[in-house]
Amino acid sequence: LIVFGAMKSTDVYKDALARATVNSGVIEALGSPITEGFLVSGNTNVNGASGEANLSIPISGPKGKGTIYVAANKSLGRWNYTGLIVEIAKTHQRIDLLQSGVSANSR
């Protein structure tokens, strides 16, 4: 439980989840509201202003389930995504959250 809580408290986790829950393609595929699942998998390694994260975050909505896949590196105190997608479980459709007109950089 401590490990899951630690991953869920990271900026990169919170940002990925926030982007998915407001993305029109994700909302269309899963419905609203979109909620996070419990069993996050992957790893984060942060050492001050640098680090890396590779996460799989389960999400669901009234119409189905999906997974947010996050790959990011932290440099100079800022997360830079190398990949941020949602895969819809039923159709295997992949929605790129970096192409939503929002900057790829986060806190």
Side-chain angles (χ1 to χ4, degrees), residues 21-107:
T21 59
V22 298
N23 180 278
S24 60
V26 176
I27 292 169
E28 183 178 321
L30 299 181
S32 182
I34 294 170
T35 58
E36 63 188 295
F38 181 70
L39 296 175
V40 178
S41 62
N43 62 68
T44 59
N45 180 17
V46 178
N47 186 9
S50 65
E52 61 185 10
N54 290 290
L55 301 173
S56 297
I57 305 166
I59 57 173
S60 62
K63 296 181 182 179
K65 296 180 180 183
T67 303
I68 306 169
Y69 292 105
V70 183
N73 294 302
K74 188 175 187 182
S75 179
L76 303 173
R78 179 167 292 202
W79 285 103
N80 300 291
Y81 293 101
T82 54
L84 182 58
I85 62 125
V86 171
E87 183 173 43
I88 306 305
K90 185 185 287 185
T91 63
H92 300 288
Q93 173 191 7
R94 291 185 150 216
I95 301 166
D96 188 340
L97 298 179
L98 297 178
Q99 299 300 317
S100 62
V102 178
S103 169
N105 295 325
S106 176
R107 296 173 227 137

